[in-house]
Amino acid sequence: MLAAAAEVVARTGLTVGLDHLPFEELIRQAGVARSAVYRKWPNKEAFLGDLLLELARGQAPLGATGGEAAGALVRRIVLARLDTLTTPDGRRAAAAELVRETALQDFRHLLGSPVWQTYPALTATAAGLPDGDLRDQVVAALADSERTFTARIARSHRGVADLLGLRPAGVSFETIAHLGNALVRGQITKATTTPELAEQRTAATIAGARARPGRDHADLPRTRPGHVDARRPGPAARTPGE
C-alpha cells in the first residue's frame, strides 16, 4: 500500500492545500449567518479557492522581511566606516561587510518568521493546483508579489551602491536581488531540516574585501580572494540593503 501510494506521488507530485481548515468552525468564528455563507460559497471547495486567491494577493514575501531593522543595520555599518570610504578598497570592504551582515540578519529573521513559513507553503499549494482559472489567478498574484519584493530589494541595493560609489559589473540590480534572495531562501529551506546549519558560518572573501577586525566573524580562517572554505557551510550571502 505504501509503495503504491509512493508511486502515485512520484507521478503526480506532493501537493499542499487548505483542506484541513474546518469550514463550519470558520463560519461560527466569523459570526455570520450560515445561510449567507452558503449563498456565496455553495461548498467548501469554492470557499477555499477564494481564500487561496486572497492569501496570494496579500501574502507578499515583503511582509516577512525586517525592512526597518535592515535599514538600521546598513546605516550603522556605513557610519562606523566613514573614515575608510574615501578609498576604493575602503568602499569595497564596506560593501562586503554589508553583504555579510544583512545576509545573516535576513537569514535569522526569515527563519523564525511565521509569515515566511506560510509563504513557501502558499507557493507550493499554487504549484499543485490543477490547470484552470484559479491556478492562473493565484500564480499571477504571487508573481506580482515577487516583482514588488524584488523591486524593493533592487532599489535598496542601488541606494547603497550609489552611497558607496560602486556599480555591479555586467549585471543589473534586479538580477542581483533575484539571485541573492534565491540563495537565502534555499539556505532557510536547508536549515529547516538541518537546524545545525543555522549556527555554522562560511569563511569567504568578496572581491578581496575582508571583515573588519572585531566583528563576530573575524576569527574565521582567512582565505584567498573569491575562495570559500567549503568545510564551514553557512547562510548564503545577499547583496546589501533589503
Side-chain angles (χ1 to χ4, degrees):
M1 186 72 175
L2 289 176
E7 289 180 5
V8 172
V9 172
R11 290 196 308 270
T12 63
L14 183 64
T15 60
V16 180
L18 299 170
D19 292 337
H20 64 287
L21 293 176
F23 192 45
E24 295 293 335
E25 178 63 17
L26 290 173
I27 295 175
R28 187 190 68 77
Q29 291 183 17
V32 295
R34 191 171 181 273
S35 58
V37 171
Y38 277 94
R39 279 196 300 271
K40 184 173 180 62
W41 296 290
N43 51 58
K44 180 180 179 180
E45 289 70 25
F47 169 76
L48 293 180
D50 281 356
L51 174 60
L52 185 59
L53 185 56
E54 181 73 13
L55 291 172
R57 288 170 174 163
Q59 190 68 259
L62 190 62
T65 61
E68 292 184 6
L73 177 61
V74 169
R75 289 190 293 272
R76 177 176 64 77
I77 291 173
V78 171
L79 288 174
R81 287 179 167 268
L82 283 178
D83 59 334
T84 69
L85 300 182
T86 56
T87 67
D89 285 346
R91 291 191 291 273
R92 282 192 292 269
E97 186 165 355
L98 285 168
V99 169
R100 293 185 184 97
E101 295 295 335
T102 56
L104 182 58
Q105 179 172 276
D106 287 348
F107 176 80
R108 287 172 170 167
H109 179 83
L110 292 177
L111 190 62
S113 169
V115 175
W116 173 253
Q117 292 167 10
T118 298
Y119 187 74
L122 181 59
T123 56
T125 301
L129 290 173
D131 291 339
D133 289 342
L134 177 61
R135 187 181 193 280
D136 291 344
Q137 292 177 49
V138 171
V139 169
L142 290 172
D144 186 61
S145 293
E146 288 289 349
R147 282 191 293 270
T148 300
F149 185 45
T150 300
R152 171 173 170 171
I153 297 173
R155 284 195 302 271
S156 181
H157 292 346
R158 186 176 292 107
V160 172
D162 287 343
L163 179 65
L164 297 177
L166 300 174
R167 285 289 180 274
V171 66
S172 69
F173 286 107
E174 287 72 19
T175 298
I176 293 173
H178 275 302
L179 294 176
N181 189 34
L183 287 171
V184 172
R185 291 187 185 191
Q187 193 63 38
I188 292 168
T189 300
K190 289 178 68 65
T192 300
T193 56
T194 315
E196 60 268 23
L197 289 177
E199 300 305 322
Q200 294 177 352
R201 299 293 175 264
T202 298
T205 60
I206 301 176
R210 299 188 184 278
R212 191 177 193 182
R215 304 302 303 169
D216 59 3
H217 46 258
D219 59 339
L220 292 175
R222 291 188 175 271
T223 56
R224 299 184 304 279
H227 173 73
V228 175
D229 184 350
R231 297 168 301 174
R232 302 189 66 174
R238 180 182 299 185
T239 47
E242 178 187 341

